[in-house]
Amino acid sequence: MPNQKRRKDVRNVAIIAHVDHGKTTIVDALLKQTGAHIFKDGETVIMDSNPLEKERGITIFSKNASMRYKDILINLVDTPGHADFGSEVERILRLVDGVVLLVDAFEGPMPQTKFVLKKSLELHLKPIVVINKIDRPNAQPDAVVNQTFDLFCELNATDEQLDFPIVFASGKEGRTTLDLSDDNRDMKPLLDTIIHRVLPPVADLDQPFQMLVTILDYDSYIGRIAVGRIVHGSVKTGDPVVLITREGNHIRSKVTKILAYQGLARVERQEALAGDIISIAGVPEVRVGETIASPVNPVALPTVNVDEPTISMNFSHNTSPLSGRDGGRFLTSRHIRERLAHEAMMNVGIKVEEADGGERFKVSGRGELHLAILIETMRREGYELEVSPPKVIFKEVDGDLLEPIEEVVIEVDSGYQGAVIESLGNRRADMKDMQMTSVGTIRMEFHIASRALLGFRNELLMMTRGTGVMSQIFLEYQPFKGEVPRRPTGVQISQGPGSSVAYALWGLQDRGEIFIHPGDPLYEGMILGVNNKGQDLVVNAIREKKLTNIRAAGSDEAIHLTPPREMTLEFALEFIEDDELVEVTPKHIRLRKRYLTDNERRRHQAITRAANASAAAKG
């Protein structure tokens, strides 16, 4: 609207891209260019400050930073590229007036590029396209520009959005350029493009204070912190405010602290103006999507819509015989309930429901990785818990059963594509595209049910000898695709408690892959390996070699153990079946049967068979 007032000395912009296309590295280079942060020796990616982010090399939590360039304050937000953290991306885009879309100069647009760009275009944000990693061998920046333009057209971008500026960059080398023939060595071309192409924020200082809460933070000293952008007016420490809840209730509070970003550091301020991205403390009941406004004229802003969860798991306290022996500090259902309630309050992508009278909790999220990150965070905080296999969330619309479908892009060396196509064909996947890349690899695109993908990532690595690359994104709900193959192998189950013995494991490793080391503690019902023959097998892993007083050269065979699989949370969640659980403690990840004794398992199987027969007879 022509009469909207804008604040000319501020630009709010988000960095969006597919996983590992270099968002965080570009932000670091911009901070270096503007002198907003002094790097320590050996420090490279300062925005990924969370230990999990450093280990996995991905951005999980969105973060803010600010820098000053040519007397203009640029607020930058680094967003997650993984589709599982889509709730973060969606909320962050409400804070900004423009987006910097990063695309890898070799890989080109990928599924999550499409995901984050679609969200941006729906919010009518103007993009700046940065073709990153132009220093990579086999980079093809000109071809990637054409692919990106095709993607914009596919997503129905407006003519104005299609007129996007293009910047070529190498975040690693800290340089950008508007022309590939120009050997510019700094980040100024990108900073100038942001200033000229991103609109100043709409900000009317004369109207009463209004702010939409897009992120929640928590501090043990000052309590809940609301993060958002001031839409109108200004606010000072000590000002009375009104929280307008989703239900329309008005709750009066007082601002006790205002925090803003200076570089990467959060600094306290006495006053903030429209257009600023700030954090406010003093509103204890605030939730994401609610409005904090002036008591003079409290009007709610449009709330944030977040994509629905597609995967759920059951969390419960650890009931294994080894509970409490691994340094866990939070062992009870009450501890887990409080932690999950806190997570659901801070993370709008997570939904928590109680089951079995509060003994178990159904936790729903946007994908396996989304929930795996929560579990990993909890175990590092000292929680012990049991987790059931991930289940997709079905919908029923007009009597039809619908299930979530994912778009999957797989890139493999030529020669492996036949095995991949056969495996995904068995999982009822539909191939949509296959083409050869400039370096001779094969890139394939499939549409496949989310539940059919569970366990496939590890299978892909096995069949491609670790060279296959897979990325996936939620597409839509489609009619139920029918049954898909289950795990073809059985498991080896510990017969009783004790410590595993190398001699016993040596005799068992011919049956299948082993998950434990000699000397590891065992209990009855614990899963210690794979049984290749397809059915579950109860084994004795604590059996020692019988000693005799007869010795002869060469009569004793040397024990050669294959190194066991390093148990990771992702593998464990993909591997287990309906009657199995993952035991998660601060020090170990173990697999176990839901019912530990053989008699319990047989009784439960008999009950299940009877129930299935009864249902079939009624049907």
Side-chain angles (χ1 to χ4, degrees), residues 362-435:
K362 181 183 176 184
V363 183
S364 306
R366 286 289 297 161
E368 240 179 315
L369 180 64
H370 192 193
L371 297 179
I373 292 294
L374 170 59
I375 297 166
E376 184 66 35
T377 305
M378 288 177 68
R379 75 181 279 241
R380 293 182 185 211
E381 291 171 358
Y383 288 83
E384 288 196 15
L385 60 153
E386 289 172 355
V387 185
S388 72
K391 295 283 186 188
V392 301
I393 298 172
F394 294 97
K395 279 184 183 178
E396 193 164 328
V397 179
D398 299 330
D400 294 327
L401 185 64
L402 305 182
E403 66 173 328
I405 302 296
E406 309 218 5
E407 180 182 309
V408 179
V409 172
I410 296 174
E411 194 166 315
V412 297
D413 293 335
S414 59
Y416 293 126
Q417 72 266 31
V420 172
I421 292 169
E422 182 183 358
S423 177
L424 286 175
N426 292 335
R427 293 168 180 260
R428 298 178 181 267
D430 296 326
M431 178 181 273
K432 296 297 180 184
D433 187 30
M434 181 168 74
Q435 56 189 359

Side-chain angles (χ1 to χ4, degrees), residues 92-252:
I92 290 311
L93 294 177
R94 297 298 183 108
L95 291 173
V96 299
D97 301 289
V99 292
V100 173
L101 174 69
L102 252 70
V103 185
D104 190 300
F106 169 67
E107 292 185 348
M110 296 291 277
Q112 280 129 31
T113 313
K114 184 176 179 179
F115 167 76
V116 289
L117 180 60
K118 182 169 180 274
K119 298 286 184 194
S120 307
L121 296 178
E122 285 172 355
L123 291 169
H124 309 292
L125 297 174
K126 291 183 182 176
I128 297 168
V129 173
V130 176
I131 308 299
N132 193 26
K133 302 190 184 182
I134 56 172
D135 55 316
R136 271 186 76 168
N138 301 306
Q140 42 183 0
D142 292 327
V144 168
V145 168
N146 294 333
Q147 292 169 15
T148 306
F149 187 83
D150 292 343
L151 178 62
F152 272 75
C153 296
E154 185 186 330
L155 295 175
N156 299 318
T158 63
D159 291 343
E160 195 177 12
Q161 289 170 330
L162 283 170
D163 183 28
F164 52 80
I166 301 165
V167 181
F168 300 97
S170 168
K172 191 176 175 183
E173 297 176 357
R175 64 186 180 92
T176 55
T177 178
L178 301 178
D179 187 341
L180 285 169
S181 61
D182 180 15
D183 191 27
N184 185 63
R185 308 306 299 178
D186 59 28
M187 302 297 289
K188 288 182 180 177
L190 177 55
L191 288 164
D192 289 330
T193 305
I194 290 172
I195 287 175
H196 294 128
R197 297 301 290 257
V198 176
L199 287 172
V202 173
D204 191 343
L205 294 173
D206 300 326
Q207 289 191 31
F209 169 67
Q210 253 185 329
M211 178 179 119
L212 180 68
V213 179
T214 48
I215 312 173
L216 282 183
D217 205 346
Y218 185 81
D219 185 283
S220 52
Y221 292 103
I222 58 178
R224 215 179 289 191
I225 300 170
V227 183
R229 186 178 94 184
I230 303 177
V231 178
H232 294 304
S234 61
V235 65
K236 294 180 182 177
T237 304
D239 279 359
V241 291
V242 170
L243 170 67
I244 307 170
T245 67
R246 292 177 197 157
E247 296 77 25
N249 300 324
H250 288 201
I251 302 172
R252 288 186 170 269

Side-chain angles (χ1 to χ4, degrees), residues 150 205 265 269 278 328 450 468 565 584 589:
D150 292 343
L205 294 173
R269 281 172 46 178
I278 61 160
S450 298
R565 173 185 284 274
V584 181
I589 295 169

Side-chain angles (χ1 to χ4, degrees), residues 59 177 311 401 493 577 615:
T59 301
T177 178
I311 293 266
L401 185 64
I493 307 166
E577 291 283 1

